[in-house]
Amino acid sequence: MNKKYLNIVLYEPEIPQNTGNIARLCACLDAKLFLVGRLGFNITDKHLKRSGLDYWDKVEVEHIVDFETFEKEFPIESNPYFLFTTKVEKKYYDVNYPLGSFLIFGPETRGIPEDILKKYDSGCVTIPMKKTLRSLNLSNSVAIGAYEAIRQFGGIQ
């Protein structure tokens, strides 16, 4: 239940290869990976394992049953949340990420639910992209956000 200097949260991820890629990124950054809610794949999925390569023993992964439980275990009052969404104008590079930040990403096909975005609207950020397109790949989005936080921290801790 401990947190790291950087925490990546995937809410209801759907595609095992994305989650595997993100797990590998977390291992390389020494960030903790939280999988929250219903997963769109089995944790033993071969695509998940393959995309994470041999990094699985080098990453701390915690599965939390739902977002409400996540909020109780890691309340925003002492754990800064940054929710990545296409539905706001505030850019991900225009905020300050303190150590211990939680970067939260929604499922590939739906994004973070509106009720969660509204509840934490001050922490919502976006990655700029061409307006006529829907979204970036989840693992790319996580890498973009994570490396901005790392840059602000002054490098990997």
Side-chain angles (χ1 to χ4, degrees), residues 6 84 92 97 103 105 127 140-150:
L6 180 62
F84 284 70
Y92 76 97
Y97 300 95
L103 308 187
F105 300 84
I127 299 170
N140 291 339
S141 296
V142 173
I144 290 167
Y147 273 100
E148 175 58 20
I150 298 281

Side-chain angles (χ1 to χ4, degrees), residues 19-122:
T19 301
N21 288 339
I22 294 163
R24 184 176 175 185
L25 174 72
C26 288
C28 291
L29 299 180
D30 196 27
K32 184 167 180 178
L33 176 59
F34 291 88
L35 304 177
V36 177
R38 186 183 73 247
L39 305 179
F41 49 86
N42 187 310
I43 201 73
T44 60
D45 185 284
K46 67 178 180 175
H47 300 292
L48 175 74
K49 296 295 183 188
R50 186 177 337 156
S51 57
L53 294 175
D54 58 346
Y55 289 74
W56 286 105
D57 63 334
K58 297 165 184 65
V59 62
E60 185 178 356
V61 181
E62 183 174 342
H63 184 214
I64 298 178
V65 67
D66 56 34
F67 199 78
E68 294 77 22
T69 303
F70 170 78
E71 292 171 302
K72 287 177 189 162
E73 290 185 25
F74 301 97
I76 193 167
E77 295 77 23
S78 55
N79 301 285
Y81 294 178
F82 296 93
L83 296 84
F84 284 70
T85 177
T86 59
K87 298 177 173 95
V88 297
E89 295 297 319
K90 184 174 22 172
K91 309 297 188 278
Y92 76 97
Y93 47 74
D94 288 336
V95 299
N96 294 318
Y97 300 95
L99 289 173
S101 290
F102 284 80
L103 308 187
I104 304 172
F105 300 84
E108 290 89 341
T109 61
R110 301 179 317 252
I112 299 170
E114 285 293 325
D115 61 323
I116 296 174
L117 293 176
K118 285 180 184 170
K119 187 173 183 180
Y120 300 109
D121 64 337
S122 65

